[in-house]
Amino acid sequence: MPGRVLILGAKESGTGAALLAQARGWEVLVSDASTSPAPHREQLLRAGIELEEGSHQRAAAFEPELIVKSPGIPDTVPVIRQLTQQGSRLISEIEFAASYSQATIIGITGSNGKTTTTALTGHILQKAGLDVLVAGNIGNSFSAAVAERDPAYAVLEISSFQLDNVQDFRPHIAVLLNITPDHLDRYSNSMDLYAASKLRIAAHQQPSDYFIYCSDDPVSREKVAAADIKSHTMTYGMEKSSAQHAWIEEQQLIVNNGLNPFSMSIYELGLQGKHNLYNSMAASIAASVLDIRKDVIREGLMDFRTLEHRLERVGKVNGVEYINDSKATNVNSVWYALESMDKPVIWIAGGVDKGNDYSLLNEMVRQKVKAVICLGLDNRKLHEAFSRQVDLMVNTRSMVEAVRMANHLSNSGDVVLLSPACASFDLFSNYEDRGHQFKAAVKGL
């Protein structure tokens, strides 16, 4: 019989974990040091789950056997240190959900592209007629879904924060897209610690499982070579090699896992741009491992469309195109966004800096950007990084102000790109809120 479980955090993942824990017979306390969002608070109260807000005082005295931590909460929180020293076991929400699921799990992580690749993989599986759930960091709690029903397949977007506290989590297929600097403030500014977190996705796999990674990514290549990975390893990249399982050749995307090879023109892909070739190759290999027919994979790759807040085309105003890339919260995501632009760019950037090294963008900004609109409470690092790369930089404090300034500075044939490179929490509740405000401001021009 389960005992006491403490759920730390009362947003999407915490509320989902609480509902699952209650359904499985745990005595549940949810504790959040801040105020819970109203919909989640109502869910918990409606279910009769005890909720502590504004402190962890009740949590500290709860003596739980298990702590399930929401991904945004660092391990350094005093209540976690106290309770783990007293013998409480700490795991992540994604692992808690997996412990109650019999689903075949496809876990996808990486610094960039994981939301798109997760959605694309789920789309292909759905086209194949499989009973599939798409959840995790993409916005839907895995725990909440499992509390209601257990699907045959679960395609999960998994962040490094969600991997930090996994103890036994074992996806049947693990995908590592890339490892580039992101969230380094959470990892003592150490790429080694951040990369180690990403590699945890494959740490408990067995030889009957599959690990897919991009051989073009130098950090992934180095870290995978040094890791003790027991699963069957599969790779993809732009160039053909004897070890490659997907590659690009003569404008064809080719997938060959030794079982069911297929190819298609890269111009038929629903997602265009070099970064999306990588995403499409990763999703294709994962689908082929599950023995999905090649015509279904091909059709899924052709009719999938861009996600909201990820290079989302909002519309044109006076010949100027507006693109919402609010989910680009790190430097590499912005690099990919700028790389895909073929018009002069008015770039809206800024927010809460996560230890970014903006020098990676210097050449791309010089080539593509005519003006930078800084949107944040503290824009010093952006000015230090790009004042020599562009002729014009302006500060704004609201999305409406930023979009109006972009409208003023742009000419017909330009593109206004919201691609912040930063977290959203100084002016917005999350990246979705930031993207929605951008779209509303564009419609208001």
Side-chain angles (χ1 to χ4, degrees):
M1 186 71 181
R4 291 180 169 186
V5 59
L6 170 65
I7 313 292
L8 288 177
K11 295 184 176 66
E12 178 69 23
S13 64
T15 299
L19 294 170
L20 177 59
Q22 183 191 60
R24 296 300 186 270
W26 290 87
E27 181 184 347
V28 185
L29 169 65
V30 178
S31 181
D32 195 312
S34 60
T35 302
S36 312
H40 297 116
R41 184 189 304 113
E42 289 166 12
Q43 267 187 295
L44 293 168
L45 296 178
R46 202 163 48 239
I49 295 171
E50 184 180 357
L51 170 62
E52 174 186 35
E53 295 182 284
S55 80
H56 293 308
Q57 186 174 349
R58 170 84 175 95
F62 189 57
E63 298 182 352
E65 283 87 344
L66 184 66
I67 305 169
V68 178
K69 182 177 76 66
S70 296
I73 301 173
D75 292 354
T76 53
V77 170
V79 71
I80 294 178
R81 288 182 169 175
Q82 174 194 329
L83 292 174
T84 53
Q85 287 171 3
Q86 292 172 1
S88 298
R89 183 168 178 257
L90 174 67
I91 64 172
S92 71
E93 177 267 333
I94 209 87
E95 177 154 23
F96 184 67
S99 70
Y100 287 107
S101 175
Q102 298 300 311
T104 296
I105 294 176
I106 301 95
I108 298 170
T109 195
S111 303
N112 303 294
K114 55 185 178 291
T115 301
T116 298
T117 306
T118 300
L120 175 58
T121 304
H123 175 71
I124 294 170
L125 269 60
Q126 287 166 349
K127 289 197 82 71
L130 300 179
D131 173 25
V132 59
L133 165 74
V134 177
N137 197 56
I138 199 168
N140 304 312
S141 164
F142 187 27
S143 291
V146 172
E148 294 185 5
R149 70 172 194 90
D150 195 18
Y153 295 86
V155 184
L156 306 178
E157 178 188 344
I158 308 176
S159 69
S160 59
F161 293 176
Q162 289 171 308
L163 289 168
D164 282 339
N165 299 107
V166 299
Q167 308 295 332
D168 303 299
F169 178 66
R170 177 189 168 189
H172 177 53
I173 301 173
V175 180
L176 173 63
L177 299 170
N178 44 58
I179 304 175
T180 59
D182 193 15
H183 300 299
L184 294 187
D185 52 337
R186 176 84 168 248
Y187 295 97
S188 303
N189 287 313
S190 168
M191 272 295 288
D192 288 339
L193 291 177
Y194 175 59
S197 177
K198 289 294 188 189
L199 264 292
R200 290 177 72 85
I201 197 168
H204 304 291
Q205 287 189 303
Q206 298 302 313
S208 58
D209 299 319
Y210 294 86
F211 176 61
I212 302 166
Y213 77 97
C214 179
S215 61
D216 287 355
D217 182 56
V219 180
S220 296
R221 216 167 43 236
E222 174 194 344
K223 300 302 181 182
V224 169
D228 179 23
I229 295 174
K230 298 181 176 65
S231 48
H232 182 65
T233 300
M234 309 181 82
T235 63
Y236 61 94
M238 288 295 164
E239 301 293 331
K240 179 181 180 181
S241 74
S242 58
Q244 213 81 294
H245 296 85
W247 64 91
I248 306 299
E249 184 176 3
E250 295 181 355
Q251 311 307 310
Q252 295 283 310
L253 186 156
I254 299 171
V255 178
N256 188 357
N257 67 1
L259 299 172
N260 194 19
F262 78 93
S263 64
M264 65 184 291
S265 167
I266 63 173
Y267 301 111
E268 294 180 307
L269 294 170
L271 296 175
Q272 292 293 307
K274 183 177 180 181
H275 59 296
N276 280 321
L277 289 178
Y278 286 116
N279 297 337
S280 297
M281 285 190 279
S284 299
I285 297 174
S288 70
V289 164
L290 294 173
D291 205 26
I292 292 175
R293 297 197 326 267
K294 56 189 175 184
D295 60 308
V296 174
I297 299 175
R298 188 182 290 114
E299 186 180 339
L301 292 171
M302 289 173 67
D303 64 14
F304 183 75
R305 292 296 175 260
T306 302
L307 297 169
E308 188 177 22
H309 311 302
R310 172 56 82 197
L311 289 173
E312 176 192 10
R313 298 184 185 278
V314 175
K316 275 190 175 182
V317 179
N318 300 324
V320 177
E321 190 166 14
Y322 288 79
I323 296 178
N324 168 26
D325 195 36
S326 182
K327 201 172 190 305
T329 59
N330 61 52
V331 166
N332 280 80
S333 292
V334 175
W335 190 95
Y336 287 122
L338 290 173
E339 190 261 346
S340 67
M341 297 295 116
D342 56 6
K343 302 174 182 176
V345 175
I346 308 294
W347 176 31
I348 301 176
V352 179
D353 184 89
K354 299 186 292 183
N356 291 339
D357 178 5
Y358 292 111
S359 65
L360 300 170
L361 293 173
N362 282 349
E363 187 58 34
M364 194 63 71
V365 169
R366 268 196 299 270
Q367 291 176 14
K368 306 265 187 170
V369 176
K370 59 186 285 187
V372 179
I373 297 174
C374 302
L375 175 59
L377 297 180
D378 184 356
N379 300 312
R380 286 174 298 173
K381 280 195 70 175
L382 287 172
H383 280 272
E384 290 169 3
F386 300 116
S387 59
R388 294 174 182 166
Q389 319 303 329
V390 295
D391 293 330
L392 183 60
M393 295 186 73
V394 293
N395 292 321
T396 59
R397 289 293 185 95
S398 75
M399 186 61 77
V400 168
E401 184 187 4
V403 169
R404 285 177 179 169
M405 180 59 68
N407 179 56
H408 174 70
L409 296 177
S410 58
N411 300 311
S412 180
D414 290 348
V415 61
V416 173
L417 173 67
L418 170 67
S419 194
C422 299
S424 57
F425 305 122
D426 58 343
L427 294 174
F428 310 95
S429 57
N430 49 42
Y431 77 83
E432 292 102 329
D433 176 38
R434 179 168 58 192
H436 288 144
Q437 288 198 34
F438 176 74
K439 293 195 287 185
V442 172
K443 289 177 183 176
L445 288 176

